[in-house]
Amino acid sequence: MPALEVNPDLQKERNTATFDPQEFSIFWAGGVEKYKEKKALEKLFLEDPALMDKLPTSYMSHKELYEDSLRKACLIGEKIRKLRADGEDGVDTYAALLGGSLGAALLKEGNPMSLHYVMFVPTIMGQGTMEQQVEWLPKAWDCEIIGTYAQTELGHGTFLRGLETRADYDASTQEFVINTPTMTAYKWWPGGLGHTANYAVVVAQLYTKGEFRGLAPFIVQLRHMETHQPMPGIDIGDIGTKLSMKGVNNGYLGLKNVRVPLNHMLMKNQQVLPDGTYVAPKNSVLTYGTMMFVRCVLIRDTAHSLAKASTIATRYSAVRRQSPIDPKEPEPQIMDHTTQQLKVFPQISKAIVFKIAGDTIWNMYNVLSGELEQGNLERLPEMHALACCLKAICSADASAGVEICRLSCGGHGFMDCSNFPAIYGMTTAVCTYEGENTVMLLQTARYLVKVYGQALAGEKLVPTVAYINEAIKLKQFVNFDCTLESIVKAFQFVAANKTRVAYEQIEMRRRQGHSTEVAANLSGIFLTGAADLHGRAFLAQTAYTELTAISKQVSPALADVLKVVLELYLVDACLNRIGDFLRFIEFTDADVTKLEMRLESCLKRLRPNAVALVDSFDLHDRVLDSALGAYDGKVYDHIFESIKKNPLNKEPVNESFHKYLKPFMKAHL
Amino acid sequence: MPALEVNPDLQKERNTATFDPQEFSIFWAGGVEKYKEKKALEKLFLEDPALMDKLPTSYMSHKELYEDSLRKACLIGEKIRKLRADGEDGVDTYAALLGGSLGAALLKEGNPMSLHYVMFVPTIMGQGTMEQQVEWLPKAWDCEIIGTYAQTELGHGTFLRGLETRADYDASTQEFVINTPTMTAYKWWPGGLGHTANYAVVVAQLYTKGEFRGLAPFIVQLRHMETHQPMPGIDIGDIGTKLSMKGVNNGYLGLKNVRVPLNHMLMKNQQVLPDGTYVAPKNSVLTYGTMMFVRCVLIRDTAHSLAKASTIATRYSAVRRQSPIDPKEPEPQIMDHTTQQLKVFPQISKAIVFKIAGDTIWNMYNVLSGELEQGNLERLPEMHALACCLKAICSADASAGVEICRLSCGGHGFMDCSNFPAIYGMTTAVCTYEGENTVMLLQTARYLVKVYGQALAGEKLVPTVAYINEAIKLKQFVNFDCTLESIVKAFQFVAANKTRVAYEQIEMRRRQGHSTEVAANLSGIFLTGAADLHGRAFLAQTAYTELTAISKQVSPALADVLKVVLELYLVDACLNRIGDFLRFIEFTDADVTKLEMRLESCLKRLRPNAVALVDSFDLHDRVLDSALGAYDGKVYDHIFESIKKNPLNKEPVNESFHKYLKPFMKAHL
């Protein structure tokens, strides 16, 4: 590889950094082995010319974009087949590609086959009997069939009991008759459903012997194996363009008297016998496990989004020069403006903390998962409550953080060649899918209010809410001394008090004669506030515990930087919720000023290592895909390269001049 | 017109509203006359089949989108020519179309000719001599030439003295020689510059007799009048796709020894004589006036964005049913969930308050404008400071508000057919253009710190900052009693104290030996915070004063609703800055709880009139352009209509199946 020519301002930042970015890169990747794996996968996929875009997706029409996405998805699938033939574990590789940074780099607007791998195959594995798995999995693994997972409907999402699609068992033919009886019953949103998949797991309300039995999943063939034409009774297509993920081919599906044989209902948990007798499932806890798994993955994804956005903004801030601080001096790197640091650096610290929180809850999930399999459900509600609020907080903060980074790059952040618009689109989507954020917060809050009552009754609470016991004992938080430990403790005290207020609101409304449910609805402002603080207290505690522990295992140089990251994260988090702190803890105006000065001091101390820190996220240039954020910092060169790809610039005069503009200009002459 | 069939849930809302929406519509439009004008323009433009989209822009490639935008821009221009021939004032009509809701409805991704009307023509009017105006304006008004305004460069935006494009006067030929000497000197961003305009006003650093003279504007021909080919020395094209405004044809421009005659420099304010003698401008106050004018318009635009987004979200919230509050009851309208009200209703109140603030500052600007023309500059700094922070606050809050509305519609808000993605793109752009928001806040803050010093020295301050005098006298804010008046006063007290803290920070750093400029940079956190509160205090005061006054002029039924709007706005604004309130004013935990309960009470009281209130914004269905927000509330029907327009759905099997998917699925068999 030829020596890389780097923008001198950026090179200067690298030369003066006080730690070795690679040390943190290895930690970030999860150890030396994973770091090497990551590098190998990047080489294999990101440097394959067949998978490189000639035309940026933003210039394509929606139809072209879909066709190109499918082309690349097939190429990737074929590559993984070869890997598997060479003895590598293909599905794991594919999962890594889809979930991680590689997936977004290869298929920036999403993969029309991803639901096949992340929902269709796992659902058959989780909910199919052994016979069903033997029948369907080989075909699915080999991609002889491409499936998707159809649950959400046009009129129904969060509230599953509201789904309208129904499956009536006809014992005379031993078939289910599946229908979407109304417009709002149409399946809506499944990825790949539009024109890609030929099979789906369809979730429907099950009726046997004329009685309602609850939801059940059915394997339904959507399209002919050879012609790909929709099967009889199937009305299917693409739902149209979206804020992002335009290549995913999200689809709609209407079913009219579609008949599937008895053994197409996935029957591991519940059964229908040939005569229509229904055998109910033993417990439905397992699906909670799957939801938690997905939310843990999403928390990691939000960290990744922030890492990307803050890398781009930081490198650009080192290269861009603007507006003298001292009118006698030349224009400085914009990173020297305190207001610029205030935008970008907290996003770096959040990327790191969200990643660590993601790893922590991932480990907790794995422990829980083992317990669940042994029938031990004790920690499930606690973990569910935690995963819900963290999914909401991390996705909301990451989305806001990406936009702050974009705006920090001025007009250039608005150009698609910055990649910010695409990163935002992917990040903000997480606020809605896999549990809408407000619904998530309310689920957490319901748990908090419940355990608050238990704590009042003298019960000792489980670890992640034990701070509520302490706060009830403490009553008042004294001696807030601005140490990091004190901020963490204060976060917990504030969180406990937000839960107290929510609890009191519900109790008050119950005393006024409202049912618990109505009281909870009326207290929505208080409930979501409590859940928000619960998650933030966990993030503060985790950041403190984990970053302190990590600092002891790394070089003193890196440890020093991580200490600043931790301090910045905590001080910024505290100031962002300062209203809650002041509400429950004695603070003077001067204390707040001191905290704000401390924030500025953190920014100043992070300044010399900001570039090295984002370098250590080790994001491949194709992952960043940004003219503003490339490793070489040659921002303006890359922007110039981008305009050469613009199809409008292929001709000096666009035909619309002759067709529209010239006649208009001359019309009145 | 046939009776409109309306979704019954939405109709029920309209039937039970307690006021007449049209009464507020007329106020909103600016009186009966303007209301009628608006309706007439809408009929003329929005109901013209030639200007309706067959294919939604989101399905087009960037190139197709540009060509279609230019087609429509020419049609609109032609229509206005006809109006003018019929005795209507065409340019005013065009300006109304561009600035208001009509423009966005007709050209959703922006108009490639807008800079011709809003910058090229006005610049010649404002900066050209009488001779120059006589020469250029008729051609420009008749669209024989299409111009743009080229100031910002690839490497330079905010800091005008940093611009690199230079114009050297050559007295031997009486010409200027214009060059963009580096890559970063390329003009970047001007609308229509890419392939549309054939002329531009180019801003360059002027050199005559070898000496630097400052910035000057030059009329430069970009393209051949007949062939539209770029003129010699002109390197020109489109800068590429963006987060929004993809039809605007923002361009880049390099100039290499481009010669323009002496009389192509606009010389109303400064002159170059034939021998190269430079005559400096008398004062540069006039350009301040233009910037203020634009920012006043932008404040109104942000109100309009919020009106659109909150209309869509409110109607959808009335139609969509989801998640029972009481498990025994059916799924309610989601508008009955308190958390949904908490998202959407504050955006309605902000739309109204921003609109009123926009009108107020518009009136102040008109007074100022008259004063400026008479050489009275007294109120300029005050007004400049106010316009800057309001532009920043309103654009930031409106952008956030649009996203809250989008997210409140769940997955459906993510679809382009909701129109939220486009509304967000247009709204967030305002955060960056015409003065980047942080730069705006710092300009306001500089003024605040200055007048704070004057107030400390005993000076009586001008009206919009007079609250600082009071706060210094008052020292402590006592008897905060939660009345609306008290919230307004408290906002001012808090704002004054934020300015005090910023002032003290700068003074402290100066005492530590920093220059004022460096001290200001280090105090960025404090300065932007002070400017933010200054703007919010103005908004609170204006909302209170104006809405109270309006309430006295309207029917009691409407007055009652506006009182709730005002209360909701103020309580929400206060809770959003509760940290600042608690910092400077004595408040107990119970006081905050009371405010939060009051917020909930405002939401509950607004609930019955929410639909009528957004109806009264009177936004044409084409302006909303949203399947979720149409007046008839037939959300699901409109979504179904939208999928029929999707080009992917024209064929049951996409050709990519045969090209890529089938070979992949069968490859290993």
Side-chain angles (χ1 to χ4, degrees):
Chain A
M1 217 165 61
L4 191 69
E5 201 191 320
V6 171
N7 170 285
D9 281 327
L10 196 60
Q11 190 56 55
K12 183 196 75 188
E13 299 292 331
R14 291 185 176 133
N15 296 344
T16 54
T18 63
F19 75 106
D20 172 15
Q22 208 193 16
E23 186 186 357
F24 192 57
S25 294
I26 289 170
F27 161 78
W28 188 259
V32 175
E33 279 315 306
K34 294 219 165 152
Y35 178 75
K36 283 184 190 160
E37 259 173 50
K38 167 182 183 285
K39 291 286 191 192
L41 271 179
E42 285 178 355
K43 203 172 159 52
L44 200 59
F45 283 90
L46 298 184
E47 288 161 27
D48 178 347
L51 289 172
M52 289 188 193
D53 290 319
K54 277 173 209 84
L55 180 67
T57 52
S58 64
Y59 291 108
M60 297 178 187
S61 74
H62 182 239
K63 189 159 176 281
E64 289 164 348
L65 179 54
Y66 165 64
E67 290 161 0
D68 192 60
S69 301
L70 188 66
R71 179 184 66 81
K72 282 202 280 183
C74 291
L75 278 175
I76 295 166
E78 197 50 51
K79 225 171 146 87
I80 289 167
R81 252 192 208 139
K82 286 214 187 82
L83 281 179
R84 202 147 28 117
D86 297 347
E88 303 263 355
D89 184 338
V91 170
D92 267 14
T93 311
Y94 208 101
L97 283 172
L98 290 166
S101 55
L102 278 179
L106 293 168
L107 282 158
K108 182 160 175 165
E109 291 284 345
N111 185 332
M113 292 211 268
S114 62
L115 249 60
H116 174 72
Y117 295 93
V118 302
M119 288 298 294
F120 184 69
V121 170
T123 301
I124 294 173
M125 288 170 71
Q127 301 193 44
T129 60
M130 196 49 73
E131 295 74 34
Q132 291 176 318
Q133 295 193 35
V134 168
E135 180 180 354
W136 295 104
L137 286 180
K139 285 186 252 187
W141 283 54
D142 285 337
C143 295
E144 282 167 51
I145 61 175
I146 301 291
T148 182
Y149 181 85
Q151 175 176 301
T152 299
E153 297 173 358
L154 180 57
H156 311 277
T158 297
F159 182 64
L160 292 184
R161 273 174 292 158
L163 294 178
E164 293 179 77
T165 303
R166 59 183 285 160
D168 291 89
Y169 184 63
D170 177 353
S172 71
T173 61
Q174 299 196 7
E175 287 173 324
F176 296 100
V177 187
I178 308 183
N179 275 289
T180 46
T182 64
M183 186 156 55
T184 46
Y186 262 64
K187 295 297 177 186
W188 206 267
W189 280 112
L193 175 61
H195 296 82
T196 313
N198 55 7
Y199 270 85
V201 169
V202 172
V203 177
Q205 307 287 5
L206 170 64
Y207 289 79
T208 69
K209 297 188 170 179
E211 268 181 60
F212 172 59
R213 311 293 186 172
L215 290 174
F218 301 86
I219 295 183
V220 177
Q221 183 175 354
L222 306 173
R223 290 174 176 273
H224 190 275
M225 287 297 288
E226 294 299 318
T227 65
H228 214 53
Q229 288 288 342
M231 298 298 281
I234 299 282
D235 181 18
I236 198 166
D238 181 290
I239 64 166
T241 56
K242 293 147 297 189
L243 180 52
S244 74
M245 304 207 268
K246 297 183 179 76
V248 172
N249 194 217
N250 299 93
Y252 62 85
L253 169 64
L255 301 116
K256 196 165 176 186
N257 292 325
V258 171
R259 290 185 163 255
V260 301
L262 176 60
N263 69 0
H264 277 214
M265 175 176 144
L266 294 174
M267 298 220 201
K268 182 171 169 186
N269 302 318
Q270 54 187 341
Q271 285 89 41
V272 172
L273 305 183
D275 69 347
T277 303
Y278 176 72
V279 185
K282 291 214 180 85
N283 68 56
S284 59
V285 163
L286 285 170
T287 53
Y288 268 88
T290 314
M291 289 193 298
M292 266 204 60
F293 165 78
V294 174
R295 285 168 199 156
C296 290
V297 171
L298 294 184
I299 294 164
R300 286 182 167 183
D301 285 354
T302 64
H304 183 66
S305 294
L306 275 175
K308 279 204 275 194
S310 61
T311 298
I312 299 168
T314 301
R315 288 181 182 159
Y316 181 74
S317 299
V319 171
R320 177 79 171 184
R321 292 180 161 272
Q322 194 169 282
S323 298
I325 291 167
D326 184 330
K328 293 180 294 292
E329 299 287 325
E331 293 180 274
Q333 293 166 285
I334 56 174
M335 204 197 277
D336 287 331
H337 293 290
T338 300
T339 48
Q340 185 74 359
Q341 297 169 6
L342 182 62
K343 290 175 195 174
V344 181
F345 295 174
Q347 313 316 323
I348 302 176
S349 77
K350 270 182 235 173
I352 295 171
V353 169
F354 288 5
K355 150 89 172 155
I356 288 169
D359 289 350
T360 303
I361 196 163
W362 181 258
N363 294 335
M364 290 166 85
Y365 167 75
N366 279 331
V367 172
L368 174 77
S369 202
E371 289 173 1
L372 287 183
E373 276 176 30
Q374 291 166 7
N376 176 358
L377 313 183
E378 200 188 335
R379 294 203 69 180
L380 182 63
E382 175 195 7
M383 285 296 300
H384 174 68
L386 191 59
C388 284
C389 69
L390 287 180
K391 184 269 182 189
I393 292 167
C394 293
S395 60
D397 280 16
S399 302
V402 169
E403 283 299 79
I404 292 170
C405 286
R406 173 177 68 78
L407 290 163
S408 81
C409 298
H412 292 350
F414 200 73
M415 298 195 288
D416 280 322
C417 71
S418 74
N419 203 18
F420 281 118
I423 297 172
Y424 179 63
M426 295 300 257
T427 312
T428 186
V430 184
C431 296
T432 304
Y433 63 58
E434 297 298 336
E436 191 278 329
N437 277 358
T438 303
V439 173
M440 293 292 91
L441 291 175
L442 289 172
Q443 298 220 0
T444 302
R446 188 177 309 156
Y447 174 76
L448 291 173
V449 167
K450 197 178 113 197
V451 299
Y452 193 85
Q454 294 169 350
L456 276 187
E459 279 185 45
K460 191 172 173 309
L461 300 180
V462 291
T464 60
V465 283
Y467 66 83
I468 292 177
N469 287 131
E470 278 180 58
I472 289 175
K473 245 185 280 165
L474 209 58
K475 286 201 177 105
Q476 265 209 317
F477 194 90
V478 283
N479 301 330
F480 180 81
D481 61 4
C482 275
T483 58
L484 301 189
E485 234 176 325
S486 175
I487 292 178
V488 172
K489 286 281 161 208
F491 250 116
Q492 295 176 339
F493 183 78
V494 169
N497 275 283
K498 294 280 276 191
T499 292
R500 170 181 60 76
V501 173
Y503 177 86
E504 289 168 356
Q505 284 289 321
I506 292 184
E507 288 303 303
M508 182 194 74
R509 289 167 209 270
R510 276 158 47 109
R511 282 195 304 274
Q512 290 169 354
H514 293 296
S515 70
T516 305
E517 291 82 6
V518 171
N521 180 39
L522 293 171
S523 308
I525 299 171
F526 301 90
L527 288 168
T528 49
D532 175 73
L533 256 291
H534 174 64
R536 291 185 193 280
F538 177 83
L539 288 170
Q541 167 77 64
T542 304
Y544 180 75
T545 309
E546 297 300 319
L547 277 169
T548 306
I550 295 163
S551 294
K552 286 179 186 148
Q553 298 156 26
V554 298
S555 70
L558 177 54
D560 281 347
V561 177
L562 293 181
K563 275 175 204 157
V564 180
V565 168
L566 172 62
E567 185 177 341
L568 171 58
Y569 176 78
L570 288 175
V571 171
D572 180 56
C574 174
L575 282 168
N576 279 327
R577 285 294 177 275
I578 194 69
D580 289 318
F581 276 71
L582 291 171
R583 178 171 174 183
F584 299 114
I585 297 175
E586 279 296 327
F587 251 74
T588 66
D589 164 22
D591 290 332
V592 182
T593 304
K594 249 187 258 165
L595 267 175
E596 289 180 326
M597 290 172 69
R598 183 131 163 236
L599 176 61
E600 187 231 315
S601 144
C602 291
L603 299 174
K604 197 189 285 171
R605 283 178 284 143
L606 197 66
R607 166 72 185 81
N609 284 306
V611 166
L613 205 48
V614 298
D615 282 352
S616 73
F617 294 151
D618 192 36
L619 298 168
H620 193 286
D621 270 356
R622 278 203 68 198
V623 169
L624 293 171
D625 195 21
S626 171
L628 311 188
Y631 186 82
D632 66 11
K634 300 180 81 173
V635 169
Y636 301 114
D637 300 81
H638 294 308
I639 294 178
F640 260 82
E641 284 158 26
S642 82
I643 57 178
K644 294 204 183 95
K645 295 180 190 157
N646 184 343
L648 263 179
N649 295 335
K650 302 288 180 195
E651 310 152 313
V653 178
N654 182 275
E655 60 168 357
S656 62
F657 168 72
H658 300 289
K659 263 169 95 174
Y660 312 121
L661 192 55
K662 195 170 178 183
F664 168 65
M665 291 165 78
K666 307 265 180 186
H668 72 296
L669 292 179
Chain B
M1 217 164 60
L4 191 68
E5 200 190 320
V6 170
N7 171 284
D9 282 327
L10 196 60
Q11 191 55 54
K12 184 196 73 187
E13 298 292 331
R14 289 183 178 134
N15 296 345
T16 54
T18 63
F19 75 105
D20 172 15
Q22 207 192 17
E23 186 185 358
F24 192 58
S25 294
I26 290 171
F27 161 78
W28 188 260
V32 175
E33 279 315 304
K34 295 219 165 153
Y35 178 75
K36 284 185 190 158
E37 258 175 51
K38 168 182 180 285
K39 291 288 190 191
L41 271 178
E42 285 179 353
K43 202 173 161 51
L44 202 59
F45 284 91
L46 298 184
E47 288 161 28
D48 179 347
L51 290 171
M52 289 188 192
D53 290 320
K54 277 174 208 83
L55 181 67
T57 53
S58 64
Y59 291 108
M60 297 178 187
S61 74
H62 182 240
K63 189 159 176 282
E64 289 164 346
L65 179 56
Y66 165 65
E67 290 161 359
D68 192 60
S69 301
L70 188 66
R71 178 184 66 82
K72 282 200 280 183
C74 291
L75 278 176
I76 295 167
E78 197 50 50
K79 223 170 149 85
I80 290 167
R81 253 193 207 137
K82 290 213 185 85
L83 281 179
R84 203 148 24 118
D86 297 347
E88 303 265 353
D89 185 337
V91 171
D92 268 13
T93 310
Y94 209 100
L97 283 173
L98 290 165
S101 56
L102 278 179
L106 293 168
L107 282 156
K108 181 161 177 165
E109 290 285 344
N111 185 331
M113 294 212 267
S114 62
L115 249 61
H116 174 72
Y117 296 92
V118 303
M119 288 298 295
F120 184 70
V121 170
T123 301
I124 295 173
M125 289 170 71
Q127 301 194 44
T129 61
M130 197 49 74
E131 295 73 32
Q132 290 177 318
Q133 295 193 35
V134 167
E135 180 179 356
W136 294 104
L137 285 181
K139 283 186 255 191
W141 283 54
D142 285 336
C143 295
E144 282 168 51
I145 61 174
I146 301 291
T148 182
Y149 181 85
Q151 175 176 300
T152 299
E153 297 173 357
L154 180 57
H156 312 278
T158 296
F159 182 65
L160 293 184
R161 273 175 290 158
L163 294 178
E164 293 179 78
T165 302
R166 58 184 285 160
D168 291 90
Y169 184 63
D170 177 354
S172 72
T173 61
Q174 300 195 6
E175 286 172 326
F176 296 99
V177 187
I178 309 182
N179 276 289
T180 46
T182 63
M183 186 156 54
T184 47
Y186 261 64
K187 295 296 177 188
W188 205 268
W189 280 112
L193 175 62
H195 297 83
T196 312
N198 55 7
Y199 270 84
V201 169
V202 172
V203 177
Q205 307 287 5
L206 170 65
Y207 289 78
T208 69
K209 298 188 167 178
E211 269 181 59
F212 172 60
R213 311 293 185 173
L215 289 175
F218 302 86
I219 295 183
V220 177
Q221 184 176 354
L222 305 173
R223 289 174 176 272
H224 190 275
M225 286 298 287
E226 295 299 319
T227 65
H228 213 56
Q229 289 288 342
M231 299 297 282
I234 299 283
D235 181 19
I236 199 166
D238 180 289
I239 64 166
T241 56
K242 294 146 298 193
L243 180 51
S244 74
M245 304 206 269
K246 297 183 178 79
V248 173
N249 195 219
N250 299 92
Y252 62 85
L253 170 65
L255 301 117
K256 196 165 178 187
N257 293 325
V258 171
R259 289 185 163 257
V260 301
L262 176 59
N263 67 3
H264 278 212
M265 176 175 142
L266 294 175
M267 298 220 202
K268 180 171 171 188
N269 302 318
Q270 55 186 339
Q271 285 88 41
V272 173
L273 304 184
D275 70 346
T277 303
Y278 176 73
V279 185
K282 289 210 181 91
N283 66 54
S284 58
V285 162
L286 285 171
T287 53
Y288 268 88
T290 314
M291 288 194 297
M292 266 204 58
F293 164 77
V294 174
R295 285 168 199 156
C296 290
V297 172
L298 294 184
I299 293 164
R300 287 181 167 184
D301 285 353
T302 64
H304 184 66
S305 295
L306 274 176
K308 278 204 276 194
S310 60
T311 299
I312 299 168
T314 300
R315 289 181 182 160
Y316 180 73
S317 300
V319 171
R320 177 79 170 183
R321 292 181 161 270
Q322 194 170 280
S323 298
I325 290 166
D326 183 329
K328 292 180 295 292
E329 299 286 324
E331 294 181 274
Q333 293 166 286
I334 57 174
M335 204 196 275
D336 287 330
H337 293 289
T338 300
T339 47
Q340 185 72 359
Q341 299 169 5
L342 181 63
K343 290 176 195 173
V344 180
F345 295 174
Q347 313 316 323
I348 301 177
S349 77
K350 270 182 235 172
I352 295 171
V353 169
F354 289 5
K355 149 89 172 157
I356 289 169
D359 289 350
T360 304
I361 197 163
W362 181 258
N363 294 335
M364 290 166 85
Y365 167 76
N366 279 330
V367 173
L368 174 77
S369 201
E371 289 174 1
L372 287 182
E373 275 175 29
Q374 291 168 8
N376 175 359
L377 311 184
E378 199 188 335
R379 293 203 69 181
L380 183 62
E382 175 195 6
M383 284 295 300
H384 174 68
L386 191 59
C388 284
C389 69
L390 286 180
K391 185 267 183 191
I393 292 167
C394 293
S395 59
D397 280 15
S399 302
V402 170
E403 283 299 77
I404 291 170
C405 287
R406 173 177 68 77
L407 289 164
S408 82
C409 298
H412 293 350
F414 199 74
M415 297 195 288
D416 280 322
C417 71
S418 74
N419 204 18
F420 280 117
I423 297 172
Y424 179 64
M426 296 301 258
T427 312
T428 186
V430 183
C431 296
T432 304
Y433 63 57
E434 297 300 335
E436 191 279 328
N437 277 358
T438 303
V439 173
M440 292 293 91
L441 292 176
L442 289 172
Q443 298 219 2
T444 301
R446 187 179 309 155
Y447 174 76
L448 291 174
V449 166
K450 197 178 111 197
V451 299
Y452 194 84
Q454 294 169 350
L456 276 187
E459 279 184 48
K460 190 173 172 312
L461 300 180
V462 292
T464 60
V465 284
Y467 66 82
I468 292 177
N469 288 132
E470 278 180 59
I472 289 175
K473 246 185 281 165
L474 209 58
K475 283 197 179 109
Q476 265 209 318
F477 194 90
V478 283
N479 301 331
F480 180 80
D481 62 3
C482 274
T483 58
L484 301 189
E485 234 177 326
S486 175
I487 292 177
V488 171
K489 287 281 161 207
F491 250 116
Q492 295 176 339
F493 184 78
V494 169
N497 275 283
K498 293 280 275 192
T499 292
R500 170 181 60 75
V501 173
Y503 177 87
E504 288 168 355
Q505 283 289 320
I506 293 183
E507 287 305 302
M508 180 194 74
R509 289 166 209 269
R510 277 158 46 108
R511 281 195 304 275
Q512 290 169 353
H514 293 295
S515 69
T516 305
E517 291 83 7
V518 170
N521 180 40
L522 293 172
S523 309
I525 298 170
F526 301 90
L527 289 168
T528 49
D532 175 71
L533 257 291
H534 174 63
R536 292 185 192 280
F538 177 83
L539 288 170
Q541 167 77 66
T542 304
Y544 180 75
T545 310
E546 297 300 320
L547 276 169
T548 305
I550 295 163
S551 294
K552 286 179 186 148
Q553 298 156 26
V554 297
S555 69
L558 177 55
D560 281 346
V561 177
L562 293 181
K563 276 175 204 157
V564 180
V565 168
L566 172 63
E567 185 177 342
L568 171 58
Y569 175 79
L570 288 175
V571 171
D572 180 58
C574 174
L575 282 168
N576 278 327
R577 286 292 177 275
I578 194 69
D580 289 318
F581 276 71
L582 292 171
R583 179 171 174 182
F584 299 114
I585 297 175
E586 280 295 327
F587 251 76
T588 65
D589 164 21
D591 290 333
V592 182
T593 303
K594 249 186 258 167
L595 268 176
E596 289 180 327
M597 288 172 70
R598 184 134 163 233
L599 176 61
E600 187 232 315
S601 144
C602 292
L603 299 175
K604 197 190 287 172
R605 281 179 285 143
L606 196 65
R607 166 72 185 79
N609 284 306
V611 165
L613 205 47
V614 300
D615 281 351
S616 73
F617 294 150
D618 193 35
L619 298 168
H620 194 286
D621 271 356
R622 278 203 68 198
V623 169
L624 293 171
D625 196 20
S626 171
L628 311 188
Y631 185 81
D632 66 11
K634 300 179 80 174
V635 169
Y636 301 113
D637 300 83
H638 293 308
I639 294 178
F640 260 84
E641 284 158 27
S642 82
I643 58 179
K644 296 206 181 91
K645 295 179 189 157
N646 184 342
L648 262 180
N649 296 335
K650 302 287 180 196
E651 310 152 313
V653 178
N654 182 275
E655 60 169 356
S656 62
F657 169 73
H658 300 287
K659 264 169 96 173
Y660 312 122
L661 191 56
K662 195 171 178 183
F664 167 64
M665 289 166 78
K666 307 266 179 187
H668 72 295
L669 292 178

